[in-house]
Amino acid sequence: MKPAAFIFLSCLLMAPLAAQEAYLPWRAENFAITQPLGGLRGDAARGREIVASRERGNCISCHMLPIPEHPMHGTLAPPLFGVGARLSAGELRLRVVDEKLVNPDTIMPAFYRDPARYHRPHPDYASTILSAQEVEDVVAYLVTLR
Ligand code: HEC
């Protein structure tokens, strides 16, 4: 292979890795993560898009949510109507980050678990499902559900 072609192909392979942001550690206490991930500020409108998006959160595949423009909502999980009144922001954050810390048998994916804790993940999956900013956006949206 010519050096130029090699460099070009290497860059193509590097691009997805470079796009992955560094994992930000968090601390759970009393079934809550009280501090926003990385001190980031969530945006509720973006969070609403993420929970409905098939490509991002896809929360509506399991949960019913007050998002009427999406007709199909799953019934595998409890509806999230009013969840912002039942749980604090910190409790919501822990459940989005890793519901398995609340219920080890849950079918809900851990959206922000330390990738190093997965056993030999395929490189495509060696990152969190949502970014730290996306988790904060989703939490900001869930808080509004009262
Ligand atoms: C594969 C199905 C599935 C998906 C996808 C899913 N969840 Fe869940 N979720 C559950 C189940 C089932 C529960 C019930 C508790 C348990 O199993 O631990 C739950 C519980 C919760 C709770 C706690 C509700 C309560 O009243 O205590 C919150 C909050 C939550 N999910 C938010 C989300 C958000 C936000 C997303 C998307 C980013 C999401 N879930 C995606 C299945 C899912």
Side-chain angles (χ1 to χ4, degrees), residues 25-41:
W26 41 267
R27 210 162 58 89
E29 227 174 339
N30 297 327
F31 295 99
I33 302 172
T34 48
Q35 297 302 314
L37 302 181
L40 295 166
R41 219 186 140 83

Side-chain angles (χ1 to χ4, degrees), residues 26-132:
W26 41 267
R27 210 162 58 89
E29 227 174 339
N30 297 327
F31 295 99
I33 302 172
T34 48
Q35 297 302 314
L37 302 181
L40 295 166
R41 219 186 140 83
D43 178 298
R46 272 202 313 257
R48 190 179 188 276
E49 284 169 25
I50 294 164
V51 302
S53 155
R54 299 272 175 222
E55 285 78 38
R56 304 307 303 135
N58 201 14
C59 317
I60 58 171
S61 66
C62 292
H63 291 280
M64 293 213 288
L65 279 151
I67 303 182
E69 65 272 26
H70 283 268
M72 297 290 288
H73 293 227
T75 52
L76 287 167
L80 294 180
F81 294 86
V83 80
R86 289 198 298 279
L87 298 173
S88 68
E91 288 168 333
L92 291 166
R93 186 174 293 107
L94 176 72
R95 281 148 182 83
V96 177
V97 162
D98 192 352
E99 172 69 18
K100 288 177 174 61
L101 297 173
V102 180
N103 171 12
D105 294 327
T106 189
I107 55 167
M108 178 164 158
F111 287 91
Y112 203 80
R113 181 189 290 181
D114 185 349
R117 285 184 51 212
Y118 287 106
H119 180 62
R120 300 198 323 189
H122 183 279
D124 285 359
Y125 300 103
S127 76
T128 55
I129 301 176
L130 293 180
S131 70

